[in-house]
Amino acid sequence: MKNKGLFGFSTLEIMIYLAMTTVVISSTSFLLIQFVRIQIRMQVITQVEEQGWQIMHLITQNLRNADSVNATPAGGQTPSLTLDMADSALDPMSFHISGGTFRIKEGGGSPIPLSTANVLPSNLSFRNLAEDNDTPGVVQVSFTLTYNNTSGRPEYNYSKTFYGSAAVRKVF
């Protein structure tokens, strides 16, 4: 005789429900972790890209506005750049890497950091593309920025080399 008044779950049904719940929670957790990693990766890339383009823009803008370039002779290459500026408060202006940061020095002032501690600059190179020493100066700029990965996690690994060039515009 069957007892029609009792309802419940059998042990097999409970195990099936637990297995299904575990699969759903595991899948959701995996997707959430992947989403967070992608978000971190995008923040790292954005930080390196923004700082790189801002630094390159600042260098090329000041190169164009300089009176002259105090660099290596035509065809030479150097890890720093010094510009003669018309404004005496800015003269001379120099760009270099020091203490793990990209820096600008204007006139007699203290060096100003252009990059943050999260981004490490390297391989800074200024190449004088002028054909002779009498031309105003065409300078090719290149540098590499690398995200400072102190955690060792792979989503924090990102490095990019930036290239640019500018010519001094002499106004007579």
Side-chain angles (χ1 to χ4, degrees):
M1 172 180 205
K2 290 187 175 180
N3 188 350
K4 294 185 180 185
L6 295 177
F7 295 102
F9 296 104
S10 69
T11 304
L12 181 60
E13 289 173 324
I14 291 174
M15 290 181 68
I16 290 172
Y17 294 138
L18 284 174
M20 289 172 48
T21 303
T22 302
V23 167
V24 169
I25 290 173
S26 296
S27 299
T28 304
S29 298
F30 176 77
L31 290 174
L32 183 60
I33 289 169
Q34 292 302 332
F35 176 74
V36 169
R37 284 182 178 163
I38 290 169
Q39 186 176 10
I40 289 169
R41 179 80 172 155
M42 293 309 296
Q43 288 173 347
V44 165
I45 290 170
T46 300
Q47 199 168 42
V48 169
E49 296 272 346
E50 283 180 357
Q51 286 187 44
W53 289 117
Q54 287 173 354
I55 291 168
M56 183 61 75
H57 178 73
L58 185 65
I59 292 171
T60 55
Q61 178 182 358
N62 283 296
L63 254 167
R64 288 182 191 106
N65 294 327
D67 283 343
S68 65
V69 177
N70 293 332
T72 58
Q77 192 167 333
T78 181
S80 65
L81 176 70
T82 303
L83 305 173
D84 289 327
M85 305 300 285
D87 185 346
S88 61
L90 302 176
D91 188 46
M93 178 182 288
S94 65
F95 295 91
H96 60 279
I97 294 174
S98 176
T101 59
F102 211 117
R103 297 176 186 257
I104 182 175
K105 186 172 186 295
E106 300 173 329
S110 299
I112 302 165
L114 298 176
S115 60
T116 65
N118 291 341
V119 176
L120 302 174
S122 62
N123 304 322
L124 177 60
S125 174
F126 297 98
R127 184 168 183 210
N128 188 350
L129 300 177
E131 292 183 14
D132 58 48
N133 292 327
D134 295 328
T135 57
V138 177
V139 178
Q140 181 182 49
V141 182
S142 67
F143 57 89
T144 301
L145 294 182
T146 304
Y147 192 82
N148 188 10
N149 183 359
T150 56
S151 69
R153 292 173 48 188
E155 57 267 20
Y156 287 99
N157 290 334
Y158 186 71
S159 182
K160 181 171 180 175
T161 301
F162 295 86
Y163 300 96
S165 61
V168 173
R169 295 183 287 199
K170 281 197 170 185
V171 179
F172 295 99

